[in-house]
């Protein structure tokens, strides 16, 4: 691939829209061409700045109410008697008040517990790099890593190898988080290490949550009875790709 | 939040079931709809008007189901509502930039790393608002809404190649804008 071809595909590459063959050719070119590499990392920096910039607007709550009122007004068959509506709104306000109080109270507890856990996770990640002790079982073979956890913890963590997709497995490690021993799987992207902490969870499936702490990006989700925490200094876009691949 | 939407009117009423089904399908994408309208209109009040009008249109077209493409479907309606609203306001169609020669030279500006690291929310917001509507539309759908080129192409009703070129031009302009603002 030449610089000119690279130039025309650069946005598609940054957006993860290239097929794997062209992606590989693109990366091979970048290995040899520092100017294209700089160009890509500039675009990636721009993307992360936008993504981390809290630029998503949330609909104001009264807009939702106005829209519903407009829908009912525009379609009279959905309208009901005024009396019924009044009683219903009094009841709804009461229910809402109780629900809000309860939610705020429980959420605060959950929030503070979670933020302790987030700090623990970031510390664990940093410690694993500082002590040069990323893996207890250094192996890129998921069939070596998975059995290694047997007997050390009472569950079997998924050990997916993502070498083909550019996130080679480095190994596995036993760690201690949330008052229990947990499995840590280590992946690598270029020079960045990625720690994936996995343990069983009794809460239901949860969509992805993205956090940034001390310059580290964290992605958290719960799937099929397991809770996952992905942490790295890798940019959020590539870390999200990693999360997506792990979920597949 | 959903039960608020359904209100307490009683589901036995005719038409109520349709509204409930519509709310179930469309409301999860309400924030996405507002976000797009807000970036297109660049102010809250107009965005609210656009979303309200778009929801009324959407309910009018509602056939009882939008499958897995509710988000794209709703966003396409929001977008079209915005452009027809703009046309009514100004009495003429919004200028389009596609096909116009790009005023950005080949190669890309490379802002210092620190430029981006120091770019705060207000600066990024100003940079995005400075883009033309079609670049802003493609770029915010990609970077803020996280949609694929294919989804954006469906919403905007243009080929994927056009989406790619809009995103590419948006990035170049943003880089130039951010550089000029931080150097100045």
């Amino acid at each position: 691939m030449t610089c000119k071809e690279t130039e025309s595909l650069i946005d598609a590459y940054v957006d993860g829209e290239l097929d794997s063959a062209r992606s590989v050719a693109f990366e091979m070119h970048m290995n040899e061409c520092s100017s294209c590499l700089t160009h890509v990392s500039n675009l990636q920096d721009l993307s992360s700045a936008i993504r981390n910039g809290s630029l998503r607007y949330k609909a104001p709550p009264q807009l939702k109410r106005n829209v519903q009122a407009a829908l009912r007004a525009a379609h009279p068959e959905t309208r009901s008697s005024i009396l019924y509506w009044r009683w219903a709104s009094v009841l709804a306000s009461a229910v809402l008040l109780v629900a809000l109080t309860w939610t705020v109270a429980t959420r605060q507890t959950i929030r503070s517990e979670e933020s302790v856990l987030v700090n623990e996770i970031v510390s664990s990640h940093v410690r694993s790099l500082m002590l040069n002790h990323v893996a207890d079982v250094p192996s890129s073979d998921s069939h070596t890593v998975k059995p290694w956890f047997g007997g050390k913890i009472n569950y079997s963590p998924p050990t997916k190898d993502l070498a083909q997709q550019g996130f080679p497995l480095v190994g596995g490690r036993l760690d201690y988080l949330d008052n229990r021993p947990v499995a840590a799987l280590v992946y690598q992207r270029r020079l960045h290490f990625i720690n994936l902490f996995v343990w069983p969870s009794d809460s239901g499936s949860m969509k992805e949550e993205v956090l940034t702490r001390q310059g580290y990006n964290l992605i958290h989700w719960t799937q099929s009875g397991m809770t996952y925490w992905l942490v790295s200094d890798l940019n959020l876009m590539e870390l999200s790709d990693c999360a997506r691949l792990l979920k597949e | 939040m959903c039960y608020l939407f359904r209100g307490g009117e009683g589901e036995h009423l005719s038409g109520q079931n349709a509204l409930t089904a519509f709310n179930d399908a469309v409301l999860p994408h309400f924030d996405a709809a507002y976000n797009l309208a807000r970036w297109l209109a660049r102010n809250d009040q107009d965005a609210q008007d656009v979303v309200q009008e778009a929801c009324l249109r959407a309910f009018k077209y509602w056939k009882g189901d939008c499958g897995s493409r509710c988000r794209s479907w709703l966003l396409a309606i929001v977008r079209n509502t915005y452009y027809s609203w703009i046309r009514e306001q100004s009495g003429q169609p919004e200028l389009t930039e596609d096909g116009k020669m790009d005023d950005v030279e080949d190669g890309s500006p490379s802002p210092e790393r620190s430029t981006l690291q120091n770019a705060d929310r207000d600066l990024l917001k100003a940079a995005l608002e400075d883009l033309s509507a079609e670049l802003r539309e493609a770029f915010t759908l990609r970077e803020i809404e996280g949609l694929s080129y294919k989804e954006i192409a469906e919403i905007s009703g243009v080929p994927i190649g056009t989406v790619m070129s809009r995103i590419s031009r948006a990035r170049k302009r943003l880089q130039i804008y951010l550089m000029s603002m931080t150097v100045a």
Side-chain angles (χ1 to χ4, degrees), chain A residues 11 15 17 39 42 45 47 51 53-57 59 62 64 68 72 75 77-78 80 84 96, chain B residues 3 5 8-9 14-15 23 30-31 35 38-39 59 108 110 113 121 125 142-143 145 149 168 171:
Chain A
D11 291 275
D15 289 324
E17 297 266 351
H39 190 168
N42 282 332
D45 287 348
S47 285
R51 278 161 198 228
S54 320
L55 291 161
R56 194 170 198 270
Y57 290 105
Q62 94 279 358
K64 298 186 181 180
Q68 289 300 299
R72 276 192 299 273
H75 300 267
E77 66 274 28
T78 65
S80 57
Y84 191 100
L96 184 65
Chain B
Y3 70 94
F5 272 81
E9 282 96 329
S14 76
N23 283 342
F30 201 75
D31 280 333
N35 182 56
R38 182 69 178 72
W39 279 110
F59 192 46
S108 139
S110 12
R113 259 201 123 91
R121 184 183 179 279
K125 180 170 170 277
R142 168 66 214 144
E143 295 287 39
E145 207 52 50
Y149 288 4
S168 176
R171 287 201 172 113

Side-chain angles (χ1 to χ4, degrees), chain B residues 43-178:
Chain B
N43 75 71
D44 171 57
Q45 201 48 57
D46 292 346
Q48 293 207 28
D49 288 349
V50 167
V51 169
Q52 176 148 338
E53 174 62 27
C55 285
L56 286 170
R57 283 193 195 185
F59 192 46
K60 207 159 84 186
Y61 305 145
W62 175 250
K63 297 270 191 293
D65 190 21
C66 46
S68 57
R69 292 154 78 154
C70 287
R71 178 166 64 175
S72 301
W73 177 73
L74 181 65
L75 292 182
I77 297 176
V78 167
R79 172 197 180 274
N80 295 338
T81 306
Y82 169 75
Y83 287 111
S84 49
W85 177 78
I86 277 289
R87 267 196 302 275
E88 280 166 28
Q89 300 270 308
S90 64
Q92 55 189 352
E94 170 115 335
L95 290 172
T96 167
E97 279 198 58
D98 283 329
K100 204 173 86 174
M101 286 296 283
D102 212 312
D103 52 10
V104 180
E105 282 174 26
D106 265 3
S108 139
S110 12
E112 294 288 319
R113 259 201 123 91
S114 60
T115 307
L116 285 167
Q117 279 157 1
N118 295 332
D120 61 6
R121 184 183 179 279
D122 290 342
L123 182 58
L124 291 170
K125 180 170 170 277
L128 281 169
E129 290 189 341
D130 192 58
L131 294 174
S132 70
E134 67 197 10
L135 300 192
R136 207 159 64 235
E137 171 188 318
F139 188 77
T140 54
L141 286 173
R142 168 66 214 144
E143 295 287 39
I144 300 177
E145 207 52 50
L147 301 186
S148 67
Y149 288 4
K150 187 163 170 282
E151 289 170 300
I152 300 170
E154 274 173 21
I155 292 166
S156 307
V158 294
I160 289 182
T162 306
V163 172
M164 188 162 105
S165 131
R166 286 178 181 179
I167 289 173
S168 176
R169 275 183 290 152
R171 287 201 172 113
K172 283 180 183 159
R173 293 202 183 164
L174 287 171
Q175 288 179 317
I176 290 169
Y177 184 98
L178 291 172

Side-chain angles (χ1 to χ4, degrees), chain A residues 117-135 173 175 177 184 186 193-197 213-218 230-234:
Chain A
L117 179 60
V118 169
N119 288 340
E120 267 189 66
I121 287 168
V122 172
S123 308
S124 244
H125 174 74
V126 175
R127 216 163 29 236
S128 75
L129 304 177
M130 270 167 67
L131 301 176
N132 204 8
H133 180 71
V134 175
R173 186 180 76 247
D175 217 309
L177 284 172
V186 188
F193 281 105
I194 305 169
N195 263 295
L196 172 69
F197 298 100
R213 285 286 184 292
Q214 298 155 241
Y216 292 95
N217 290 315
L218 293 99
L230 202 57
V231 53
S232 178
D233 60 345
L234 184 65

Side-chain angles (χ1 to χ4, degrees), chain A:
Chain A
M1 207 176 261
T2 63
C3 285
K4 203 166 169 60
E5 287 168 300
T6 310
E7 171 73 27
S8 67
L9 295 175
I10 198 155
D11 291 275
Y13 174 77
V14 168
D15 289 324
E17 297 266 351
L18 280 191
D19 55 55
S20 48
R22 281 197 294 180
S23 222
V24 168
F26 192 99
E27 277 165 9
M28 277 167 63
H29 174 78
M30 277 201 300
N31 281 336
E32 295 156 3
C33 173
S34 64
S35 108
C36 286
L37 183 64
T38 313
H39 190 168
V40 166
S41 57
N42 282 332
L43 292 187
Q44 286 171 337
D45 287 348
L46 177 67
S47 285
S48 339
I50 299 279
R51 278 161 198 228
N52 298 331
S54 320
L55 291 161
R56 194 170 198 270
Y57 290 105
K58 220 169 155 347
Q62 94 279 358
L63 174 62
K64 298 186 181 180
R65 287 194 290 275
N66 294 348
V67 165
Q68 289 300 299
L71 283 171
R72 276 192 299 273
H75 300 267
E77 66 274 28
T78 65
R79 225 182 285 157
S80 57
S81 85
I82 290 171
L83 194 66
Y84 191 100
W85 169 233
R86 273 197 194 151
W87 275 111
S89 60
V90 170
L91 192 67
S93 319
V95 169
L96 184 65
L97 190 66
V98 171
L100 272 180
T101 319
W102 185 80
T103 316
V104 168
T106 44
R107 209 173 258 181
Q108 270 170 354
T109 335
I110 293 170
R111 282 276 154 223
S112 66
E113 276 170 15
E114 186 175 282
S115 99
V116 170
L117 179 60
V118 169
N119 288 340
E120 267 189 66
I121 287 168
V122 172
S123 308
S124 244
H125 174 74
V126 175
R127 216 163 29 236
S128 75
L129 304 177
M130 270 167 67
L131 301 176
N132 204 8
H133 180 71
V134 175
D136 291 329
V137 47
S139 168
S140 58
D141 179 6
S142 58
H143 300 293
T144 307
V145 176
K146 199 178 178 76
W148 180 85
F149 284 109
K152 297 184 177 66
I153 41 177
N154 61 356
Y155 59 95
S156 176
T159 54
K160 221 170 174 179
D161 185 13
L162 302 174
Q164 293 284 321
Q165 293 90 341
F167 298 93
L169 183 64
V170 177
R173 186 180 76 247
L174 204 56
D175 217 309
Y176 193 84
L177 284 172
D178 205 20
N179 302 318
R180 62 178 303 161
V182 301
L185 295 157
V186 188
Y187 291 89
Q188 196 171 7
R189 177 76 159 184
R190 298 185 301 274
L191 294 175
H192 305 271
F193 281 105
I194 305 169
N195 263 295
L196 172 69
F197 298 100
V198 190
W199 66 92
S201 149
D202 33 42
S203 56
S205 277
M206 193 199 84
K207 271 177 61 187
E208 190 171 293
E209 186 182 5
V210 177
L211 298 148
T212 304
R213 285 286 184 292
Q214 298 155 241
Y216 292 95
N217 290 315
L218 293 99
I219 300 180
H220 170 217
W221 72 95
T222 301
Q223 188 186 24
S224 318
M226 292 280 194
T227 194
Y228 296 80
W229 283 91
L230 202 57
V231 53
S232 178
D233 60 345
L234 184 65
N235 68 67
L236 194 55
M237 194 172 59
E238 289 179 85
L239 196 62
S240 302
D241 282 345
C242 184
R244 182 176 48 78
L245 292 164
L246 287 164
K247 284 191 222 169
E248 271 169 16

